[in-house]
Every structure is written in C-alpha cells, then in structure tokens.
C-alpha cells in the first residue's frame, strides 16, 4: 500500500499517522507491525510528538548538526545545493516500524508518525506502508 504527499522541502514535517492508520483499518489485520518507508535520498520517516514547539526545535536541531549553509562534496559533484539534505536524511532514516494490536497503531499518547522532507525544494513523495500480521 502507498500514498502520495506533497511537501514544501526545507525540513517540512508532515503528520502521516492518519494515512497509515487508514491503510491499517482497510487491511482487516488485527495484530502485527507496520513498516512505513519513503523512497528517496532527501527525506525520512520517524515518530515524534507533533506539536508546535517540536516542529520548530526539530528543524533547528538539524540545522545545528548539518548546516544548510556549508558546501558539501555532493554539491560540487551535482551542483544542486542539497548536499545537506542527503546527510540529514541519512541520519534520520528512511523507515519507521510500529506494532499494532486490535487494528490500532501502538503509538504513545502524543506520538505521531512523520514524514520529513529535507530537500531544498518541494516534492511529491511516495510513502510505502507494508503491513505484516494476522
């Protein structure tokens, strides 16, 4: 199963929990795990508390450890100015796995699954959800 998300780039954080939950609900599975994956070298998937403070803190954290103002070897090769986004995506990871029971994702009270687009422009991202269970 998969769905599309349009992003703005530049650390765009999107809550994709409703889409993943919908796929799970439509599956008829009751117990197992959901693997959520985003193909591409400049985006990632994780889980955070999707609230205004963290939506500011998370991108600021990545700017501190992988600055967008530095020239990366990738930029010298491809001249696309998004070397920072590749490094950030590599640190973030492209997938997240969450268990489910009673056909519900077993996330914490304030926890959501997010898609993070680190690229230097918006894109249409394909998100793949692979369910395993009974």
């Amino acid at each position: 199963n998969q769905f599309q998300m349009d992003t703005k780039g530049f650390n765009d954080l999107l809550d994709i929990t409703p889409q993943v939950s919908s796929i799970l609900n439509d599956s008829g599975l009751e117990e197992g795990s959901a693997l959520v994956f985003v193909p591409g070298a400049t985006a990632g998937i994780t889980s955070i508390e999707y609230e205004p403070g963290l939506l500011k803190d998370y991108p600021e954290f990545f700017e501190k450890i992988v600055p967008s103002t530095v020239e990366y070897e990738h930029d010298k090769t491809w001249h696309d100015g998004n070397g920072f986004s590749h490094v950030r995506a590599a640190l973030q990871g492209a997938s997240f796995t969450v268990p489910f029971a009673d056909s519900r994702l077993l996330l914490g009270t304030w926890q959501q699954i997010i898609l993070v687009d680190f690229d230097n422009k918006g894109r249409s991202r394909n998100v793949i959800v692979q369910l395993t269970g009974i």
Side-chain angles (χ1 to χ4, degrees):
N1 293 299
Q2 51 192 317
F3 59 91
Q4 295 284 134
M5 294 295 291
D6 292 327
T7 68
K8 298 175 187 170
F10 297 100
N11 299 311
D12 194 14
L13 284 83
L14 301 172
D15 180 1
I16 60 171
T17 309
Q19 292 87 341
V20 176
S21 292
S22 178
I23 289 171
L24 174 57
N25 290 336
D26 292 345
S27 75
L29 295 173
E30 292 183 23
E31 188 175 307
S33 62
L35 171 70
V36 185
F37 172 75
V38 60
T42 58
I45 301 282
T46 193
S47 176
I48 65 168
E49 181 178 347
Y50 194 78
E51 57 85 21
L54 198 50
L55 294 179
K56 290 181 182 180
D57 294 340
Y58 204 68
E60 288 175 7
F61 164 76
F62 275 102
E63 187 61 33
K64 287 177 185 173
I65 64 169
V66 185
S68 59
T69 55
V70 172
E71 185 176 24
Y72 294 84
E73 293 299 316
H74 172 86
D75 300 333
K76 294 176 186 176
T77 303
W78 298 103
H79 308 288
D80 54 6
N82 71 349
F84 69 95
S85 65
H86 288 273
V87 176
R88 291 176 184 184
L91 289 173
Q92 175 64 70
S95 67
F96 178 76
T97 303
V98 60
F100 60 86
D102 298 323
S103 301
R104 290 185 29 234
L105 297 170
L106 297 177
L107 294 167
T109 302
W110 307 110
Q111 189 177 18
Q112 291 84 24
I113 302 168
I114 62 163
L115 165 65
V116 185
D117 189 347
F118 295 110
D119 211 348
N120 60 357
K121 63 181 176 180
R123 293 187 179 272
S124 182
R125 298 288 185 178
N126 188 39
V127 180
I128 298 168
V129 179
Q130 184 178 52
L131 302 173
T132 304
I134 54 175

